[in-house]
Amino acid sequence: MSDKTVVLTGITTTGTPHLGNYVGAIRPSIEASLNTEVQSYYFLADYHALVKCHDPERVHQSSVENAATWLALGLDTDNAIFYRQSDIPEIMELNWILSCMTAKGLMNRSHAYKASVAENTESGEQDPDKGINMGLFTYPTLMAADILMFNAHKVPVGKDQTQHLEMTRVIAQRFNHHFGEYFIIPEIVLGEESAILPGLDGRKMSKSYNNTIPLFLPEKKFRKLIMKIKTNSLEPGVPKDPEGCTLFAIYNSLATREEVAVLRNCYAEGIAWGEMKQFLFEYLNNIFSGPRENYNALLENPTEIETILLRGAERARDYASPFMQRLRVATGIRPLV
Ligand code: TRP
């Protein structure tokens, strides 16, 4: 294996990719995928999806949509390794070994698990673990396996994932301490605050708030959704504050500094909300209409997507398979003679 820096991140396949995903994760990852100085790994975390989603159609459809989106936007799959978590059986094997090196108490402290328990307790529920499956409880060990399987140096994630990364580091250290220095301790690369977009209602754009703007809606529907973005009720001609304005925040996340300065002026001069929305629609449509065509073409030809993913899995296993063999031996799982 070369000594390139390894960058790895996962995409949970429960939803349809939206503008918030684009700005926060997809765009920076695709840019990084072009850099031949690093070895990037991007994967569809479909086993993670099962924790939250028990609708097989949704999980499958989301895998297709996420893969098509990343490819349509220009992910360099010759350079980056793009695969499906479930195509790498070694990850699940490592998950078990890591589980046996993970303190249950560490998992008890997981924010995601604790939030679900708190919800139960607050609603007066007798059983604090109601509706909580083991997948949620051990979510962090599977994530650790995703990362440690490829000895990633850097893991770019949103703020909500930092605790998972800290746990990965703890688990890796414990394994190394006991069995020898097998794992690189991964570094957390936190996305910029400015890369967090507000959604239709002004809260953080998230599938759990149902306020997302999907990337590749047909043009008419896309325009309709932009028109639905919540604003205040200031009349045309009245100066408007760009701070806290969702339309402005979206434009700001994509446009150049000069373009943003021009728009700031328009706000000061009292641009009408209708006009601003039309402007934003045209701006976004201009960026996404080409990729939208690629996307639709890919959806019509899923075999092409499948081929790319399988090739990615093969490349990923070229690393994972011999490494897993070493890890098994390290723990005493090996032939008798
Ligand atoms: N849990 C991450 C999320 O919801 C997705 C993910 C799964 C991931 N495995 C990973 C991210 C490994 C980084 C590294 O966003």
Side-chain angles (χ1 to χ4, degrees), residues 164-236:
H164 291 147
L165 264 290
E166 283 158 10
M167 290 174 160
T168 298
R169 291 167 59 92
V170 170
I171 295 169
Q173 272 154 351
R174 179 146 175 203
F175 185 99
N176 283 354
H177 184 72
H178 193 82
F179 293 112
E181 295 292 313
Y182 286 86
F183 295 127
I184 304 253
I185 309 302
E187 218 179 281
I188 308 171
V189 182
L190 209 53
E192 287 169 38
E193 279 295 310
S194 63
I196 298 174
L197 280 197
L200 294 173
D201 58 359
R203 291 185 294 173
K204 178 187 167 186
M205 192 181 293
S206 160
K207 59 182 176 260
S208 41
Y209 293 148
N210 208 6
N211 64 356
T212 68
I213 302 171
L215 277 178
F216 296 129
L217 286 175
E219 192 172 307
K220 266 194 185 149
K221 282 197 178 157
F222 189 58
R223 182 173 181 280
K224 238 184 171 167
L225 217 49
I226 303 295
M227 296 296 151
K228 267 190 16 199
I229 294 174
K230 204 168 140 191
T231 62
N232 60 30
S233 51
L234 292 178
E235 298 287 332

Side-chain angles (χ1 to χ4, degrees), residues 8-10 12 43 45 48 139 143 146-147 155 157 161:
L8 173 147
T9 200
T12 308
F43 67 97
H48 273 114
Y139 191 105
M143 203 160 140
D146 291 332
I147 297 166
V155 183
V157 285
Q161 297 295 315

Side-chain angles (χ1 to χ4, degrees), residues 321-333:
S321 183
F323 187 33
M324 191 60 228
Q325 181 53 23
R326 287 179 57 220
L327 294 169
R328 260 186 237 114
V329 170
T331 59
I333 308 290

Side-chain angles (χ1 to χ4, degrees), residues 250-265:
I250 293 176
Y251 187 73
N252 190 32
S253 69
L254 295 162
T256 65
R257 212 175 278 189
E258 291 76 26
E259 288 172 324
V260 171
V262 172
L263 187 67
R264 221 173 255 288
N265 242 339

Side-chain angles (χ1 to χ4, degrees), residues 1-2 4-7 29-42 71 74-83 308 311-312 315-316:
M1 199 64 187
S2 69
K4 282 185 189 175
T5 300
V6 174
V7 180
S29 298
I30 288 180
E31 266 169 36
S33 80
L34 302 170
N35 180 354
T36 50
E37 304 285 299
V38 305
Q39 177 58 66
S40 38
Y41 287 79
Y42 300 118
L71 295 174
L75 181 72
D76 181 346
T77 54
D78 287 327
N79 192 25
I81 301 182
F82 188 49
Y83 57 101
I308 293 172
R311 190 173 68 104
R315 292 172 68 201

